[in-house]
Amino acid sequence: MIQLAIKDLKLFLKDRRSMLVTFAIPIALITLFAFAFGGAGKSSSKAKISLLVSDLDNTSASQGAIARLDTLKSIQLKALPLAEAQKAIENGDESSVLVVHQGFADSLKKGGSLPLELQYDESKEIEVGMLQQSLIPTIAMLPFNMGNSREMMGNRLAKMAGSSNTQAKEDIQAKSDNLFDAISKGVASGNGNKTKNNPASNFFGSDIKMTKLVKATNDNQLGLVQAVAGTAVMMLLFSVVGIGMGLLDEKQEGTLKRLLYTPMNPLNILFGKMISANVISILQLVIMFIYASLVFGLDIASHLPGLLLTIIATAFACSAFGVLLASFAKSRQQVQGLSTLIILVMSALGGSMIPLFLMPALMQKVAVISVNYWSIQGFYDVFWRNLPVLNATFLSRILVLLLIGLALNSWAVVMFRKNILKLT
Amino acid sequence: MIEIKNLKKTYEGREALKGISFTIKEGEFYGLLGPNGAGKTTTISIISSILKADSGDVIIGRYNIDTHPQNVKQLIGVVPQEIALYNELSAYENLMFWGGLYQVPANELSNRANELLKQFGLEDRKNDKVKNYSGGMKRRINIASALLHKPKVLFMDEPTVGIDPQSRNLIFEVVEKLHKEGLTIVYTTHYMEEAERLCDRIGIIDNGQIIAEGTLDQLKNSSSIKETIAITFSNLNALHVKEIATFWSDMSQDENIIHFHSSDIKSDLSKLVLKCNQLGVDIVNIEIQKTNLETIFLNLTGKQLRD
């Protein structure tokens, strides 16, 4: 019995595929998810959420407020003119812009409602929610942290009370001073950034107007697009690997050698495989989106040109990946092990498993190396951002997918000559 | 039809072919015999243009394989050692696919496929998936797939491995018919009886070299080996063996059987029977073992063909 166990362990240790599935893949995924959910790294190295800011007030008060926001550890501020900022959001490059409207300084002084607006992409609601959580306490504390805060608060309270009587105003100012002192103590004791415990933020509430710059056409669209696009691309990668492995099957079963006996150019064998992989990939994606349309009501009819373009580009890139893996590997087992690892990592990284906006900024940057990223962003452009087919951002994503496909196919040709055509 | 000159091929420092040369006439049935690893498949791979030789020339028809590989590929048909078919396709679909790669027009191809299915006795099951065929039936389709474009030369690399006698006989009949019709056939095998039955000429290959070549009779005549008379005795003892050995030195004993090597069986047989009677040993059985390819091969290479 022990001998049998030892034998099995020896076999296991010699089986690279088992080692890969047992150790390498889980370790890779744990690492990725740990980064994705922010569990990895020290707090000082936590990734910041990017926030654009457009200062239309352009006063020392507005600049001071922006400088105050810039001290937040969780936010990376970037100043841009409003039109540029809005374009970046519409293209899906950024999630939101904080607009400091004209009259900000005046409102701050008079204790009026601050003319701040957060324009955002609804598809990145979770990221925007996190931004809000960071912004609101700081904005609420602006009257305390900027000059004339005691006066500002008094003005604000008086305004809220709606009194024009001088005596009443003075009473309010006196009460305001007491309140100000109490709140100031709270701020000083370190509760300043915690909305829940901070009397100031409870008192002032949010002064940010929320505006959806990029909106869903229906309520389920975002989750649906994420689910369909994310799953479709990941499953497509798995299925194209299967198609690519047909090459290795042909080699193993002798049909590849028989094909070489014919007058056909040997490279046509690979090109034939590429064509069939593309056709099957397109078919698979089309059927998945038709299913999502019929069962979940995804509106494909009004997005048809963009959808088809994205499907074709995605199929091209993914099928090239499958063919390359098969050309690269020397056995079916090798392809299976390698492909599982690569696909799971690419899918986790590229947004198939976790929506990209939930990931830290660093991982969002790294995600661009994944085919999944470009495909999913393409589908987002089509369904979510409603970008026209000729939009430069959308076309750039399509171009990237096509270039990935081209590069992988070219590499597959080289590897096919080197590995697959070695027959004897 | 085929001219091979000084063909050499080395794999990772090992010489697979050490300068093979032979010629095959048009319409000839040429057998290439050799044990596993002798160089048969390497030779077939080179002359069917899927493997480059390190040096040497191969001319098929009028074409040099290095300069006109596509012309050569149109001239030849190859029956690989493996059953290289698509199992999920029917026999008919397989034939249409393989024939299509030789640019045979669709109508002509369909007629040709049906004709071959009939010839190989598979007309009734032409629409069945190949995966449901027996090993012998698959072998037949494997051969038919190489004949769709009516090649001038057919290379058959061990085409009858692992099949039932019925399929084997059917394949022999078809191959013999093709040979009669003028097809040049190069046939590799390690089944001696196949080579003896089918081949006009035989080349024996071992360690990457042709070590003997000729018709079966020429090979027998050129061989130094003798035929054998194997006599089984019922009461053989050590004294008998000593006496017999004095009388006939070119012999070997295997328990109660003695193998007498002879260059003239007719006269030697009577001498041996007479001597045995004189010694008082009882003969149970007499077997004449004639020279065949197996013994020639064994003599030439020191190996069994199936080694």
Side-chain angles (χ1 to χ4, degrees):
Chain A
M1 193 168 67
I2 297 293
Q3 279 174 319
L4 282 173
I6 291 169
K7 180 263 299 172
D8 284 344
L9 285 170
K10 276 184 182 170
L11 289 177
F12 172 77
L13 291 171
K14 284 182 180 178
D15 182 353
R16 284 185 185 175
R17 190 171 163 248
S18 297
M19 297 285 279
L20 200 69
V21 172
T22 312
F23 303 114
I25 293 175
I27 286 171
L29 288 179
I30 286 168
T31 311
L32 272 170
F33 286 130
F35 275 112
F37 293 121
K42 292 173 186 171
S43 58
S44 61
S45 64
K46 268 187 186 169
K48 294 183 173 188
I49 303 170
S50 171
L51 173 65
L52 300 179
V53 61
S54 290
D55 185 0
L56 305 183
D57 193 46
N58 205 17
T59 58
S60 58
S62 64
Q63 284 162 6
I66 290 167
R68 175 72 54 182
L69 292 175
D70 204 21
T71 60
L72 291 174
K73 286 180 180 170
S74 56
I75 293 174
Q76 173 77 55
L77 276 189
K78 187 179 171 190
L80 271 186
L82 184 58
E84 275 182 43
Q86 286 174 331
K87 198 176 174 193
I89 295 165
E90 281 163 358
N91 288 341
D93 299 331
E94 296 287 345
S95 64
S96 51
V97 55
L98 180 68
V99 187
V100 183
H101 285 287
Q102 278 186 335
F104 175 84
D106 220 26
S107 297
L108 191 65
K109 188 175 179 186
K110 289 177 181 169
S113 183
L114 297 176
L116 293 171
E117 184 186 8
L118 192 67
Q119 296 182 358
Y120 66 99
D121 178 351
E122 197 182 353
S123 71
K124 296 178 176 174
E125 250 178 352
I126 295 172
E127 187 178 336
V128 173
M130 289 157 75
L131 265 173
Q132 261 184 300
Q133 285 224 335
S134 300
L135 284 175
I136 288 170
T138 311
I139 288 170
M141 296 304 296
L142 285 177
F144 290 91
N145 293 324
M146 296 180 72
N148 301 322
S149 48
R150 188 178 290 268
E151 186 191 341
M152 277 184 231
M153 189 170 161
N155 286 341
R156 182 160 191 158
L157 279 169
K159 201 168 185 177
M160 284 167 79
S163 176
S164 55
N165 181 297
T166 314
Q167 182 57 47
K169 269 188 179 177
E170 281 173 8
D171 288 348
I172 289 169
Q173 187 64 54
K175 283 175 185 166
S176 166
D177 287 346
N178 293 336
L179 184 60
F180 184 87
D181 292 338
I183 292 169
S184 297
K185 279 178 192 167
V187 174
S189 68
N191 290 332
N193 280 334
K194 292 178 185 169
T195 314
K196 213 173 181 179
N197 303 324
N198 193 328
S201 54
N202 288 339
F203 177 74
F204 289 109
S206 168
D207 276 313
I208 310 175
K209 181 188 171 193
M210 302 296 289
T211 305
K212 292 172 185 171
L213 197 66
V214 181
K215 282 189 242 177
T217 47
N218 72 53
D219 289 343
N220 294 325
Q221 205 84 343
L222 170 62
L224 192 55
V225 172
Q226 169 65 37
V228 177
T231 312
V233 177
M234 181 168 71
M235 295 320 294
L236 179 61
L237 285 169
F238 277 112
S239 58
V240 292
V241 168
I243 300 165
M245 276 199 286
L247 263 181
L248 294 166
D249 291 341
E250 295 230 28
K251 185 175 181 179
Q252 204 168 347
E253 287 163 16
T255 45
L256 183 68
K257 192 170 177 180
R258 183 164 216 160
L259 287 169
L260 295 175
Y261 288 133
T262 70
M264 182 176 61
N265 182 331
L267 278 182
N268 286 346
I269 299 168
L270 184 70
F271 296 148
K273 203 56 80 180
M274 286 173 183
I275 291 169
S276 64
N278 271 286
V279 171
I280 294 168
S281 301
I282 290 170
L283 210 60
Q284 185 179 347
L285 287 172
V286 166
I287 287 170
M288 283 191 192
F289 277 95
I290 288 175
Y291 175 80
S293 169
L294 294 176
V295 178
F296 302 109
L298 183 70
D299 176 20
I300 57 172
S302 52
H303 300 96
L304 220 47
L307 174 63
L308 286 176
L309 200 56
T310 315
I311 283 178
I312 290 167
T314 300
F316 183 63
C318 291
S319 56
F321 166 77
V323 174
L324 171 66
L325 263 189
S327 311
F328 202 90
K330 287 175 182 165
S331 69
R332 200 180 171 88
Q333 288 76 11
Q334 199 181 9
V335 175
Q336 280 169 338
L338 203 63
S339 62
T340 308
L341 178 67
I342 295 174
I343 293 171
L344 287 179
V345 169
M346 277 211 308
S347 300
L349 205 62
S352 278
M353 293 178 177
I354 315 157
L356 208 61
F357 50 81
L358 286 182
M359 296 187 193
L362 175 69
M363 285 194 71
Q364 290 187 28
K365 280 179 187 162
V366 178
V368 299
I369 62 165
S370 156
V371 175
N372 304 52
Y373 169 82
W374 296 102
S375 296
I376 293 170
Q377 290 306 310
F379 288 121
Y380 264 54
D381 287 346
V382 172
F383 287 106
W384 187 255
R385 299 181 187 110
N386 279 315
L387 298 184
V389 174
L390 294 178
N391 174 277
T393 303
F394 173 65
L395 286 178
S396 71
R397 297 196 216 280
I398 298 297
L399 185 67
V400 169
L401 284 169
L402 294 175
L403 288 174
I404 289 173
L406 198 65
L408 297 184
N409 275 330
S410 307
W411 194 3
V413 169
V414 174
M415 298 314 291
F416 179 76
R417 284 179 197 270
K418 194 177 166 191
N419 285 340
I420 304 288
L421 293 180
K422 267 190 186 173
L423 287 170
T424 50
Chain B
M1 188 70 186
I2 301 173
E3 197 176 350
I4 292 161
K5 288 182 204 163
N6 202 23
L7 214 55
K8 289 183 181 175
K9 180 73 187 174
T10 302
Y11 292 117
E12 293 165 1
R14 189 183 70 84
E15 276 186 296
L17 297 181
K18 298 172 182 169
I20 280 182
S21 299
F22 58 93
T23 53
I24 299 169
K25 285 177 269 178
E26 189 169 353
E28 195 172 26
F29 203 131
Y30 187 88
L32 199 57
L33 261 69
N36 290 334
K40 301 190 298 287
T41 301
T42 303
T43 307
I44 293 287
S45 297
I46 292 171
I47 62 180
S48 55
S49 187
I50 64 163
L51 186 67
K52 283 244 176 247
D54 296 337
S55 63
D57 286 316
V58 177
I59 293 158
I60 298 178
R62 290 169 292 140
Y63 304 108
N64 187 308
I65 209 156
D66 288 330
T67 53
H68 295 84
Q70 298 307 102
N71 299 76
V72 168
K73 283 179 174 187
Q74 278 291 353
L75 275 182
I76 63 171
V78 183
V79 180
Q81 201 169 333
E82 313 85 14
I83 296 170
L85 300 169
Y86 294 102
N87 282 316
E88 293 299 322
L89 300 182
S90 70
Y92 179 76
E93 287 169 330
N94 263 288
L95 293 181
M96 291 299 286
F97 171 74
W98 291 112
L101 298 176
Y102 288 88
Q103 314 294 328
V104 182
N107 270 350
E108 196 184 314
L109 180 59
S110 179
N111 292 337
R112 181 80 178 133
N114 284 318
E115 186 187 309
L116 285 165
L117 284 162
K118 192 174 175 185
Q119 208 171 351
F120 281 95
L122 292 167
E123 203 181 16
D124 297 341
R125 298 197 54 187
K126 67 180 228 180
N127 293 319
D128 289 2
K129 283 184 180 177
V130 166
K131 71 174 178 185
N132 297 323
Y133 278 19
S134 69
M137 290 160 80
K138 286 180 185 174
R139 283 271 168 211
R140 285 185 249 165
I141 292 297
N142 206 35
I143 297 170
S145 298
L147 296 167
L148 289 147
H149 60 295
K150 296 188 176 174
K152 300 280 181 227
V153 180
L154 184 65
F155 296 124
M156 303 183 84
D157 194 4
E158 310 214 14
T160 58
V161 172
I163 64 168
D164 56 282
Q166 188 199 345
S167 290
R168 180 172 298 203
N169 283 331
L170 188 65
I171 288 170
F172 286 171
E173 281 169 24
V174 174
V175 168
E176 280 168 334
K177 185 171 171 278
L178 291 167
H179 179 217
K180 274 182 193 162
E181 287 168 3
L183 184 67
T184 306
I185 300 173
V186 181
Y187 194 98
T188 77
T189 183
H190 53 232
Y191 292 121
M192 221 54 62
E193 58 281 17
E194 287 185 10
E196 286 181 354
R197 172 175 168 173
L198 298 170
C199 299
D200 299 328
R201 271 195 318 135
I202 293 160
I204 295 177
I205 182 169
D206 190 38
N207 282 327
Q209 287 175 304
I210 298 279
I211 53 172
E213 194 187 26
T215 63
L216 187 58
D217 284 341
Q218 285 169 337
L219 288 171
K220 277 181 190 175
N221 293 337
S222 65
S223 165
S224 60
I225 58 168
K226 296 171 180 176
E227 293 178 321
T228 302
I229 302 163
I231 302 177
T232 310
F233 301 97
S234 61
N235 58 342
L236 194 67
N237 58 38
L239 191 64
H240 291 144
V241 176
K242 194 179 173 187
E243 289 285 336
I244 290 168
T246 314
F247 174 70
W248 203 277
S249 59
D250 192 5
M251 55 149 271
S252 58
Q253 187 196 352
D254 181 11
E255 295 186 354
N256 59 339
I257 303 171
I258 295 180
H259 299 269
F260 300 95
H261 303 298
S262 158
S263 49
D264 184 0
I265 287 203
K266 279 181 189 170
S267 65
D268 291 345
L269 181 60
S270 54
K271 287 180 200 166
L272 283 167
V273 172
L274 193 62
K275 182 68 183 173
C276 291
N277 281 337
Q278 287 169 357
L279 292 171
V281 280
D282 297 333
I283 295 172
V284 177
N285 185 44
I286 298 176
E287 191 184 329
I288 308 294
Q289 293 171 349
K290 290 196 159 191
T291 306
N292 57 19
L293 269 177
E294 187 80 52
T295 50
I296 294 169
F297 190 85
L298 188 64
N299 180 255
L300 286 169
T301 65
K303 295 175 215 166
Q304 296 283 345
L305 249 179
R306 287 172 186 79
D307 280 353

